[in-house]
Amino acid sequence: MIRAIRSRIFIYIFVLITVFAAASAGQQTSEPSRDPILRIETGMHVAPIRGIGVDRAGKFLVTASYDKTARVWELETGRLLRVLRVPIGEGVEGMLYSAAISPDGNTIAAGGWTKAGTSSNNIYLFDRESGRLVRRLTGLPNVAIYLTFSPDGAFLAATLGLKDGMRVWNTSDWAEVGRDTAYGDSSYCANFDGARRLVTSSWDGHLRLYDSNMRLLAKRATPGGKRPGGVRFSPEGSKIAVGYEDSTKVDVLSGETLAPLYSTDNFGIGNGNMMSVAWSADGTFLYAGGTYQDKPDSNPIRRWRDAGRGHYVDMPAASNTIFGIVPLPTVGIAYGAGGPAWGILDASDKQTHMQAGQIANYEDNPTGLLIDLTGLAIRFSYEQDGRSPAVFRITDRTLVPNPPTNMDLFAPRTNAPGISVTDWKSTYTPRLNSAPLKLKQYERSDCLAIAANGERFLLGTSFFIRLFNREGRELWNVPGPYIALAANISGDGRIALAAYGDGTIRWYRMTDGKELLAFSPHADRKRWVLWTPSGYYDASPGAEDLIGWHVNNGKDSAADFFPVGQFRGTYYRPDVISKILQTGDEAEALRLANEERGRKTQSSTVAQMLPPVVEIASPADNSEVSSSEVTIRYSLRTPSGEPVTNVKVLVDGRPVAVNRQLTQEVSASGARELKVPVPEKDSEVSIIAENRFAASVASTIRLRWHGSAPVSDAFVVKPKLYVLAIGVSQYQNPKYSLGFAAKDANDFANAALTQKGLLYRDVVVKVLTNEQANKDNVLDGLDWIRKETTSKDVAMVFFAGHGLNDQNGVYYFLPYNTDLEKLLRTGVPYTDIKNTVQSLAGKTLFFIDTCHSGNVLGGRRGLADDLNGIINELSSAENGAVVFAASTGNQSSLEDAKWNNGAFTKALVEGFTGKADYAGKGKITVNMLDLYLSERVKELTGGKQTPTTAKPNTIQDFPIAMKK
């Protein structure tokens, strides 16, 4: 029963939002606000997938979600091609319930709560290739719950919320050609057959059948339930399948009269529903799924043979509600689920693709959200039911997976003398001392926390977190980003916390409910980002893309999205984050942090610092090329009005030289073009534009080589490997000395030399250790590798020793002759390292192990010495290095005589020389080495050290070594 209730949460939300949409009908505002809005971005939806569609050729899948995005995926690979961003606002504005892709794959329709500043809802039409919003279909009195194109692409139909029926448009001119408003409740699905007939379902208990002129042919009450959901014509149009929200039945009706023909064998379906249905492309099989679970955390899709009359098989699919099923043109199906998740089941019922949500799941955690007395440490779980727990400490940004239970963390208090809160779990009618607490209609209570002094309590609901006093008077309420699944109050009574269905945990000031801080842990158990309402943030390596600024461009244009990393210079402020909970005020935390650093208050807003936007117009993504020089046509926009100062061209993630005279505008539309050299193999080309504040998000296309036949491996000229390895164990000041940093550098260089004649035609190394690694020699070494490396080569830079930030936060590597009192003159500044990495022509890998114990540095280690910001900057698309770091956050890098190395280098050498060959094919790639380092260093150090790898999104996984 508990599982069934939880699965129905998403149905409940959908009904609730529809009701609220109706209640708000007629409200009119101005154009959508252009103020930047912080949003989560994990590369996957963070809320249930409600809409799903596939083009006729089975090349593209589109998904739409409550998270206010639609996404286009490449079906063959599962790769995310594009995120479609509609104008959004506070609350439900911008939530998408439906999406459809035209049969030719060129147009995507998306709908939902989409007023965008107008008095009625809109359906947005996007060009799939460019992502441009090309048209709005306006005047809808309610949300578009479902969208579908006719098989020939001539019509688009929408079903609407409440009693507003359906609409149909002719896609040639987008004129409305059909309308029926005689509905008694919301209409939840529609489907065309090959003759352009349309069938719809409605929660008024009826199916309706229309001819190609949208005249009503038949209306009939459904036999298996009063709330019909999914409805589908069989491929030849002779039958119609229907599933229900309030029933486990699946019925097959006549495609001519809607008369019942037969029902499927639903033996064993003892819970939930089978509301989503689909036929196979040839009509042989009938599929259905919904909230039915065959075991905990398993929502299967049932497939029947003989068009639904034959035997069935339950196919494992998702861990939550199946919201949509669509047939693939050849064999198999695709589905969308509430997890969020989407997947593909092939003809043999095997799951060939699965894209699951990349957020933590706080549902049904038996211990709830645990916190310490001050709210600075939290314990949460990555998986529902409290599985895969972790502890995160704000003080040192330490993420501890599978922590011990004796960590002085406290579960939410649900009982206190004189306060009896009852019926608060998963109900609409919570009570205080038997008296009902006032909530909105349809607002559901899901979590409770009572303050340690028993004077106040926090209630988390579908829409809000609410603070009440012991008499039941509400002190404040704050809208949440999604359902509040867990809540707690710090032992000192200063801070309220809530964990939400979008994977975030948020801290609030108890006095007035002001949000102070938000935390989003990625499902990979490594990455996390922590931010304030104004956007000041801290992030683990590789996590800067997990949140960003959504910026509306009016109601007739797609919105932009800028990851927070594009504003790193201004908003990457671990020092501000550290003071937020101490001060209880963001402005005061910023003032104190600026005072300590001697920084001025930033006067420019995010809107004023927005980077340029680059869009490659041609060639199209995945185009074939047969020439070693390709003309790239692109456009530039400057949302902030700041002029573009530089345009970079990357091939496979590294910079290439182009003729700058070709960057001028070549058409009235503002198009520009560049001639770009590309290798005679499949490759990726990216363009990045910069202004004085920030670099743009890279615009990237894939190119498939279709020129002369590939040269045999025996005749391919292998790249050359250049290695600069620097390690300092013995410092001029003996107080700074380490054990194995110099040996680490030598061992890494020797491991690289073994690759000569394997992956590389030659390996050239320069090793600087101890007294050789003085500042002048280190700078000369950086200059050497920059000059020697060509675009066809690979460069590896290895640093081991001490690193330190000065009082202004500037990072320095400490060479042999460092004097901490003269750091500017004797240390190697990060800017010199960055400039080298940025200018290297070939593929670049940077290995950094400079987080050794700080006691020898006079206790100067602290958050300022956190390498996360440096790792993220070096691995950004504009700098383009793959960065391997020995540890994360404020962890120390460990070394031990029994290893005869630092833990990181021991694992690195092992992995590089063969142990990371997980595929058993003789080659070690970046991703393989990353995995080996993670597991091996954890094993060596008992989990005390966590190495990390950050890779630009413009660089795909590639081989870096061969097993000897």
Side-chain angles (χ1 to χ4, degrees), residues 372-395:
D372 68 356
L373 291 174
T374 62
L376 289 168
I378 59 174
R379 179 184 172 112
F380 63 95
S381 294
Y382 283 101
E383 298 178 34
Q384 61 192 41
D385 301 317
R387 300 191 304 274
S388 189
V391 165
F392 183 77
R393 294 193 296 261
I394 293 178
T395 49

Side-chain angles (χ1 to χ4, degrees), residues 455-701:
E455 293 298 318
R456 295 172 292 178
F457 64 92
L458 197 66
L459 201 65
T461 75
S462 318
F463 299 112
F464 300 94
I465 56 168
R466 298 177 179 272
L467 185 71
F468 296 88
N469 66 13
R470 62 184 299 118
E471 286 77 36
R473 181 170 64 88
E474 185 175 272
L475 303 178
W476 50 257
N477 68 72
V478 177
Y482 203 47
I483 304 172
L485 298 173
N488 211 331
I489 298 173
S490 62
D492 59 14
R494 295 179 60 246
I495 304 295
L497 290 92
Y500 292 100
D502 66 348
T504 63
I505 296 173
R506 297 174 189 254
W507 286 253
Y508 299 90
R509 191 164 59 198
M510 276 287 281
T511 54
D512 58 4
K514 174 70 174 177
E515 183 177 324
L516 300 174
L517 205 56
F519 172 66
S520 181
H522 193 276
D524 63 10
R525 276 67 164 171
K526 292 182 179 181
R527 288 179 288 164
W528 53 264
V529 61
L530 194 63
W531 70 96
T532 72
S534 296
Y536 296 106
Y537 74 95
D538 193 4
S540 65
E544 284 187 319
D545 290 349
L546 296 182
I547 61 167
W549 295 100
H550 172 111
V551 180
N552 292 326
N553 290 313
K555 60 179 178 286
D556 291 310
S557 297
D560 292 320
F561 183 82
F562 304 96
V564 292
Q566 311 306 118
F567 308 90
R568 186 182 304 108
T570 299
Y571 284 94
Y572 177 67
R573 296 297 300 271
D575 53 343
V576 175
I577 297 292
S578 296
K579 298 180 185 301
I580 288 289
L581 297 188
Q582 299 171 18
T583 62
D585 183 85
E586 183 182 15
E588 179 64 7
L590 178 62
R591 185 190 70 79
L592 291 174
N594 284 344
E595 191 175 89
E596 286 184 5
R597 287 278 184 93
R599 292 181 61 156
K600 294 181 179 180
T601 301
Q602 173 65 39
S603 58
S604 299
T605 65
V606 171
Q608 292 169 326
M609 293 190 293
L610 294 176
V613 176
V614 184
E615 297 178 6
I616 296 179
S618 66
D621 184 52
N622 213 27
S623 292
E624 291 184 347
V625 295
S626 56
S627 170
S628 59
E629 188 175 71
V630 177
T631 298
I632 305 293
R633 181 166 290 199
Y634 67 100
S635 64
L636 280 176
R637 287 190 290 114
T638 55
S640 63
E642 284 287 331
V644 174
T645 57
N646 188 30
V647 175
K648 291 182 178 179
V649 181
L650 311 178
V651 174
D652 291 333
R654 296 305 300 164
V656 297
V658 294
N659 187 342
R660 293 295 171 185
Q661 294 181 346
L662 292 175
T663 61
Q664 75 275 7
E665 293 187 6
V666 296
S667 73
S669 64
R672 303 160 183 253
E673 63 180 39
L674 291 165
K675 293 189 181 298
V676 177
V678 296
E680 294 183 358
K681 65 181 185 66
D682 294 352
S683 60
E684 291 190 352
V685 176
S686 305
I687 297 181
I688 297 173
E690 298 174 338
N691 63 24
R692 67 188 177 107
F693 289 115
S696 72
V697 176
S699 180
T700 302
I701 56 169

Side-chain angles (χ1 to χ4, degrees), residues 806-828:
D806 68 11
Q807 63 181 7
N808 296 316
V810 177
Y811 175 83
Y812 289 84
F813 174 72
L814 306 190
Y816 168 77
N817 56 331
T818 296
D819 182 344
L820 291 183
E821 300 304 318
K822 301 175 182 178
L823 190 58
L824 181 63
R825 184 148 56 89
T826 61
V828 176

